[in-house]
Amino acid sequence: MTFSPRDFLLFTKKNRILAPYYERAKNGYIAFRNRGQTRLDVLKAFPLYCAYSGGGYSQRAPLALQAVNDMVPALKALGDGIGLAAPPVMTDHVYAERNGAGRVDELAALFRRYGSDKSSAHEYHRVYASILHQIGEDGTVNLLEIGLGTNNPDVVSNMGIAGRPGASLRAFRDFLPRGRVFGADIDRRVLFEEERIRTFPVDQTDRATFAALGAALPDEFHLMIDDGLHLPTANLNSLSFFLSRLSVGGFAVVEDIPKIARELWQFVGGLLGECYEACIVESGPSLMFVVKRLR
């Protein structure tokens, strides 16, 4: 459902709320579908997006919400205008064909064995088999994945009570006989340590926690993955950390990007410069942002 300034004025009336996905309720609130209700002062909640000019709340609040939705497309248009090169878009099959498929079936089987959705809900095993083929599957690989897959329902972005924390870490460990595998998650209850796997806490919304994480990790990684909190700012914080640790020839990957966010990652890819090669990979319902450090 499209949200417009007219809808905002029509439905809020007495209550100041944010509702990008809404239904009209009898009490005058706008209810998030199956998500409860929210009331807030939009101008105080989103000061970065406010029009710093005259006008009352009913005039300025819709503009602030419009700015929230339009900011990324506007940045993308600016990037196009100044010649930022957007990364190419391809499917997971094409990515594997172009870069070497590697041991695709073996990696898929390991993901399934340990209960990871990387080869069930997604086709990510094709991309990772290709990446590890390029890195060197039998070499000493340092790998970090943010997001262990917590099964505690009180944590945002959880896998549900049937989830199996650390599933993909174990699959990567078995796939890489001499690899060192590291993981990080905001939920300390699912952290663990076992053969060639160590895990640490991190809060992707708090950049300061990345400093503590970095102090516990090796200086360089060959593959770094964000499968944690699927939120643009959290993804960008992770990517910034990854690029500071990525070895030459190494890869950084952001998983589970909704297709509506394509323009954001096209803009980000254009910012990376000549030291990196980026692409956007379509895999089922989601996108992956894949970066290789060239030098």
Side-chain angles (χ1 to χ4, degrees):
M1 183 179 293
T2 303
F3 182 76
S4 70
R6 180 180 179 278
D7 294 327
F8 181 90
L9 293 174
L10 177 63
F11 291 134
T12 56
K13 293 185 177 179
K14 297 180 182 179
N15 301 295
R16 297 176 178 182
I17 66 171
L18 171 67
Y21 305 100
Y22 58 85
E23 292 175 344
R24 187 165 184 180
K26 293 180 180 179
N27 60 7
Y29 290 71
I30 296 173
F32 286 88
R33 291 193 182 96
N34 301 318
R35 301 177 188 178
Q37 298 174 340
T38 300
R39 289 190 299 173
L40 54 81
D41 185 318
V42 171
L43 300 183
K44 290 182 179 179
F46 303 105
L48 177 63
Y49 299 95
C50 292
Y52 285 88
S53 57
Y57 183 90
S58 63
Q59 296 170 309
R60 296 171 64 215
L63 291 174
L65 293 177
Q66 181 179 342
V68 169
N69 285 322
D70 289 351
M71 179 63 76
V72 168
L75 288 172
K76 174 61 168 54
L78 175 63
D80 292 342
I82 62 176
L84 288 182
V89 180
M90 64 189 78
T91 66
D92 44 40
H93 290 76
V94 171
Y95 184 89
E97 289 172 2
R98 290 187 181 181
N99 299 288
R103 293 144 52 199
V104 176
D105 294 339
E106 180 184 345
L107 185 56
L110 286 169
F111 284 142
R112 290 194 298 270
R113 172 185 173 187
Y114 285 108
S116 170
D117 67 357
K118 292 190 192 308
S119 62
S120 55
H122 306 280
E123 296 283 320
Y124 294 163
H125 60 284
R126 299 184 184 279
V127 176
Y128 287 123
S130 174
I131 287 173
L132 293 171
H133 176 72
Q134 296 174 69
I135 293 172
E137 299 161 0
D138 297 326
T140 303
V141 174
N142 285 344
L143 183 151
L144 169 70
E145 181 170 17
I146 294 179
L148 272 65
T150 179
N151 53 7
N152 292 309
D154 58 341
V155 179
V156 176
S157 214
N158 68 81
M159 296 285 289
I161 59 174
R164 297 168 66 180
S168 56
L169 298 184
R170 294 182 174 99
F172 283 126
R173 186 265 318 274
D174 289 2
F175 188 79
L176 301 166
R178 291 193 292 156
R180 293 194 298 169
V181 178
F182 300 85
D185 202 281
I186 192 172
D187 188 357
R188 293 174 180 264
R189 293 168 292 183
V190 299
L191 301 181
F192 68 97
E193 184 170 343
E194 60 185 50
E195 181 187 1
R196 291 192 291 117
I197 299 177
R198 297 181 65 193
T199 62
F200 304 91
V202 72
D203 179 351
Q204 292 175 268
T205 66
D206 182 357
R207 287 189 292 272
T209 68
F210 281 96
L213 175 62
L217 295 174
D219 292 335
E220 287 194 342
F221 281 83
H222 304 90
L223 175 57
M224 307 182 81
I225 302 166
D226 179 358
D227 187 20
L229 179 61
H230 305 305
L231 180 75
T233 49
N235 297 150
L236 293 173
N237 288 340
S238 295
L239 182 62
S240 178
F241 176 73
F242 292 171
L243 296 183
S244 71
R245 296 262 170 167
L246 208 58
S247 63
V248 174
F251 290 80
V253 179
V254 179
E255 291 185 9
D256 295 346
I257 299 170
K259 291 184 178 179
I260 195 174
R262 183 193 301 265
E263 288 184 320
L264 169 62
W265 294 97
Q266 288 176 321
F267 179 72
V268 171
L271 294 177
L272 292 180
E274 296 180 354
C275 290
Y276 301 95
E277 179 181 78
C279 68
I280 295 171
V281 180
E282 293 187 357
S283 185
S286 304
L287 305 175
M288 305 172 78
F289 185 71
V290 180
V291 180
K292 180 179 182 180
R293 182 176 178 184
L294 302 178
R295 59 180 181 273

